[in-house]
Amino acid sequence: MKITQITDKKVSLRRTIDTGTEEQRKIVQSIIATVREEGDSALFSYTEKFDRVKLPNLKVTEEEFTGAYEALDKELVEIIREAAANIRAFHEKQKRESWISYDDNGTMLGQKITALDAVGVYVPGGTAAYPSSVLMNVIPAQVAGVKRIVITSPPNELGTLPAGVLVAAKELGIAEIYKVGGAQAIASLAYGTETIAAVDKIMGPGNIFVALAKREVFGIVDIDMIAGPSEIVVLADETAKPNEIAADLLSQSEHDKNSSSILVTTSMKQAEEVKAEVEKQVETLPRKEIAKASVEAYGHIYVADDLETAIAVVNELAPEHLEVLTVNPLASLNDIRHAGAIFLGRYSSEPVGDYFAGPNHVLPTNGTARFSSPLNVDDFVKKSSIISYSEKAFLTNYSKVAKLARLEGLEAHARAMEERLK
């Protein structure tokens, strides 16, 4: 990891979002077009081609759910249940209600909040299982009141999904789970097939083909975001322990070779000790090749003269995850303006938020925490304005509306007001 002494507070984590190669974009466009035209037949065909398995059916069966519970350790089932309860309790506090206000002149104004009808959740497959993706994407949708939630996920070579994913889905009462991955899954959710009915919004992370497919169908459906690589920034003073900082930095580096792991500290001694710890600990990781590539390309340590400068650097970075490991973490909270999730203190290691505490782990990346928020209940509702003018209010204000309309050159708008006087 490179160590840099901060001089001007201007450090940026912003990277260009990967829009894929021209060849990748053409492949995705072709897949989407084929799924639209051929429906289920295309899904079976692409699954056999890309996932190397010939499926008898797309939808997960009750037998598969039963097998998942038998395969998963009972303690893990209980942990999934407890994590789900924590996540639900947190998101219940985010709910908003419709409202209406009345003026003395008889005007009624308000806002109607309506849950989306149907949401699709993409859960990545491959070598890892992601029950946490199920919990974090499904629960806020349920709290919002979404009635139909669909999960798609690529099957393994045995034609099944990970037991943890199936158990998490079953615990949440999800009945529609389809063994479909990649761009073809996104196409099926956006346009529908004989088996999979279309949804209104698509959530969940995936590889470059999934990301490009989500970009292609945006506008036909809503999407959560085009997520960049995972990021962590640790803000530390001399009281933080180098071995713990290094472990937390590597918790992000093992995600992907493009992940960013950054320390902003007020201590050069600590910076050097953390660098040595990272080099030592990375060698013992099962995913060390990925973590080493990440640290080499995107690992960095910035040393600031004081905490005020360090916080300014953090706000420039606007990280996805921010750990504050200082003598008084809470004292810095008001000065931190840009971060997806803020972890305060030694015992709030980032994986606590990834899996168990309750706040959502779907967070803005690539510096977009400057203007974006974590996934939340509001992402699964839409708002309609309510306007009911009384005759008194109309007579008081019609001429003002007509004048504004004519200022914009829209005569028919003005006449729509004045016709009511005849």
Side-chain angles (χ1 to χ4, degrees):
M1 299 182 81
K2 183 179 179 182
I3 299 177
T4 302
Q5 183 80 42
I6 293 298
T7 56
D8 59 4
K9 304 181 185 179
K10 292 295 182 182
V11 180
S12 179
L13 191 63
R14 301 182 201 179
R15 297 188 231 159
T16 302
I17 294 176
D18 189 358
T19 57
T21 65
E22 183 177 355
E23 181 182 6
Q24 288 171 329
R25 291 192 292 272
K26 286 182 178 178
I27 290 171
V28 167
Q29 290 164 358
S30 174
I31 290 172
I32 292 173
T34 304
V35 171
R36 290 188 68 183
E37 183 177 341
E38 300 179 9
D40 284 355
S41 175
L43 298 183
F44 282 114
S45 176
Y46 283 129
T47 300
E48 187 171 358
K49 178 180 179 180
F50 296 129
D51 300 306
R52 298 177 297 282
V53 60
K54 191 169 185 176
L55 295 175
N57 55 281
L58 296 173
K59 190 174 182 180
V60 171
T61 64
E62 283 301 318
E63 290 76 17
E64 288 176 279
F65 282 120
T66 301
Y69 276 90
E70 292 172 350
L72 200 64
D73 182 84
K74 287 182 173 55
E75 183 183 6
L76 279 172
V77 175
E78 289 301 320
I79 290 171
I80 287 173
R81 288 172 180 163
E82 190 174 351
N86 294 342
I87 296 164
R88 191 174 299 277
F90 179 85
H91 287 84
E92 285 283 356
K93 295 179 176 67
Q94 297 177 339
K95 287 181 69 174
R96 292 200 243 179
E97 302 297 331
S98 300
W99 58 269
I100 289 177
S101 66
Y102 299 90
D103 289 343
D104 292 340
N105 63 9
T107 296
M108 182 181 77
L109 302 175
Q111 180 173 267
K112 182 177 183 292
I113 296 178
T114 307
L116 302 182
D117 288 339
V119 167
V121 175
Y122 186 90
V123 179
T127 58
Y130 296 98
S132 62
S133 285
V134 176
L135 301 179
M136 292 294 182
N137 283 278
V138 170
I139 290 173
Q142 290 179 327
V143 171
V146 178
K147 299 301 182 187
R148 177 174 172 254
I149 301 173
V150 184
I151 292 176
T152 64
S153 188
N156 59 30
E157 292 185 4
L158 298 176
T160 62
L161 298 183
V165 169
L166 292 181
V167 168
K170 190 68 171 177
E171 287 295 316
L172 300 181
I174 303 301
E176 283 188 78
I177 307 183
Y178 299 100
K179 294 176 283 188
V180 184
Q184 60 271 25
I186 303 304
S188 70
L189 292 171
Y191 294 102
T193 69
E194 298 93 323
T195 298
I196 305 175
V199 300
D200 302 311
K201 186 166 187 172
I202 300 174
M203 320 295 296
N207 62 20
I208 185 62
F209 293 99
V210 171
L212 292 177
K214 287 168 71 175
R215 185 185 290 272
E216 286 288 330
V217 302
F218 177 61
I220 302 300
V221 294
D222 192 14
I223 62 173
D224 47 358
M225 67 178 80
I226 304 295
S230 188
E231 308 156 358
I232 187 171
V233 169
V234 176
L235 171 64
D237 61 17
E238 69 281 354
T239 65
K241 299 181 180 298
N243 62 310
E244 295 175 2
I245 295 173
D248 290 353
L249 293 174
L250 289 170
S251 74
Q252 293 306 298
S253 296
E254 73 172 352
H255 269 297
D256 184 270
K257 64 182 181 180
N258 293 316
S259 297
S260 298
S261 299
I262 294 173
L263 168 63
V264 182
T265 178
T266 55
S267 166
M268 179 61 77
K269 178 176 181 291
Q270 182 188 75
E272 293 168 347
E273 291 176 349
V274 168
K275 179 179 179 180
E277 275 289 334
V278 167
E279 293 170 353
K280 171 185 170 184
Q281 291 184 27
V282 73
E283 294 297 332
T284 66
L285 293 176
R287 295 166 65 90
K288 74 174 184 178
E289 296 307 320
I290 292 173
K292 287 176 76 171
S294 166
V295 168
E296 183 177 336
Y298 299 108
H300 212 111
I301 299 174
Y302 296 104
V303 182
D305 291 336
D306 51 50
L307 190 58
E308 180 183 0
T309 302
I311 291 173
V313 172
V314 167
N315 284 328
E316 282 291 320
L317 294 169
E320 178 187 18
H321 306 94
L322 171 65
E323 289 187 5
V324 183
L325 303 180
T326 58
V327 66
N328 187 359
L330 194 60
S332 301
L333 186 58
N334 284 342
D335 294 323
I336 295 167
R337 294 183 49 79
H338 307 308
I342 304 169
F343 300 79
L344 299 175
R346 179 185 178 191
Y347 300 106
S348 305
S349 180
E350 186 271 338
V352 171
D354 266 356
Y355 296 110
F356 202 75
N360 211 285
H361 78 193
V362 181
L363 303 167
T365 60
N366 202 50
T368 59
R370 293 173 293 111
F371 53 81
S372 296
S373 305
L375 185 68
N376 61 85
V377 171
D378 277 354
D379 290 308
F380 297 96
V381 301
K382 56 192 180 70
K383 305 174 183 74
S384 302
S385 299
I386 301 169
I387 302 167
S388 178
Y389 249 32
S390 65
E391 180 181 11
K392 180 179 179 182
F394 177 83
L395 292 174
T396 301
N397 296 310
Y398 83 90
S399 63
K400 302 170 188 175
V401 176
K403 287 177 181 177
L404 285 172
R406 289 189 170 108
L407 175 64
E408 296 190 349
L410 299 175
E411 181 62 25
H413 279 61
R415 292 183 186 181
M417 301 298 292
E418 294 167 347
E419 281 293 318
R420 283 162 170 74
L421 299 176
K422 295 181 180 179

